[in-house]
Amino acid sequence: MDKRYVDVVVISDVHLGTYGCHAKELLKYLKSIKPKRLILNGDIIDIWQFSKSYWPESHMKVIRKLMKFVSEGVEVHYLTGNHDEMLRKFDGMEMGSFHLQNKLILELDGKKAWFFHGDVFDVTMQHSKWLAKLGAVGYDTLILINSFVNWVLNAVGKEKMSFSKKIKAKFKDAVKFINSFEQTAAELAIEKGYEYVICGHIHQAEKREITSDAGMVTYLNSGDWVESLTALEYNDQQWEVFKYDHKDFVKDEMDDGILSDAEDLKSKLDINLLLQNIKYEIAQ
């Protein structure tokens, strides 16, 4: 597959370090594009659920690919989310073309775009963080069970299903929360004079115009790489939601466990040590 040139790519809610993360699919996507600017809009590494016993090679490859973008001069903005909130104290840190921030404002073809993860609008995060963390563990377990069920369904030739989407559909409060989240983000962006507001957090990819008495804004959400497998792409003054489809990606060396780009796992960054050091630093 020829690499596509993209002006801006936004991904969020990858949750590296959890069973639900689709790292192999994400890696295929990242290797298929040549972005001018890459925005990682929160929850890329799931520090909440980080376990030394679970860090597959595919997750390491995603980290190395992101580092390769930086080494090639691609502007990479890592915006912190709630699952990687431990990094928020390092807001403003820069290393070459890598920037660690809590939020980002860019001007795209004369229009202001406001990027942030979005957990600030989550009441559970603000008042019951322990409940949010418990829910995150339950969600990851649900995804793990769902993966097994889908494997069985695929083996017998039946269509896959999404447990979490079925649960969300049955509870009006979940739909209400998503609508409230989008409306709140949009109204605040309109108030601040932005033309675009780009979030993550709710694992629901979206692109739509939202209006209020004060004006109009384009609300966008990059979705996730746990279930939706989506990203946002900006090209030719237009935003589009990218949806991963395995049929669009031919089998390559990654599926065979063979590294490309002259990568050498023996000299890889020790992510376990890195995250443990971050946790230690935050605890001080």
Side-chain angles (χ1 to χ4, degrees), residues 3-5 7 27 31 63 104 106 120 122 130 137 166 172-173 175-176 182 184 192 202 221 225 232 258 267 282:
K3 292 192 177 184
R4 294 185 297 112
Y5 288 86
D7 288 338
L27 186 58
K31 291 173 81 69
I63 294 293
L104 174 66
L106 291 177
V120 66
D122 193 331
W130 66 270
V137 174
K166 286 184 177 293
K172 291 182 179 179
D173 284 347
V175 177
K176 189 189 227 179
E182 295 175 347
T184 301
K192 290 178 176 288
I202 58 174
N221 197 296
W225 285 85
L232 293 170
I258 300 172
S267 61
I282 298 299

Side-chain angles (χ1 to χ4, degrees), residues 151-177:
W151 178 83
V152 174
L153 289 173
N154 186 62
V156 297
K158 294 196 174 181
E159 189 176 346
K160 293 181 180 180
M161 67 171 65
S162 169
F163 286 1
S164 69
K165 287 181 181 178
K166 286 184 177 293
I167 291 171
K168 286 176 186 176
K170 285 185 177 295
F171 289 94
K172 291 182 179 179
D173 284 347
V175 177
K176 189 189 227 179
F177 166 74

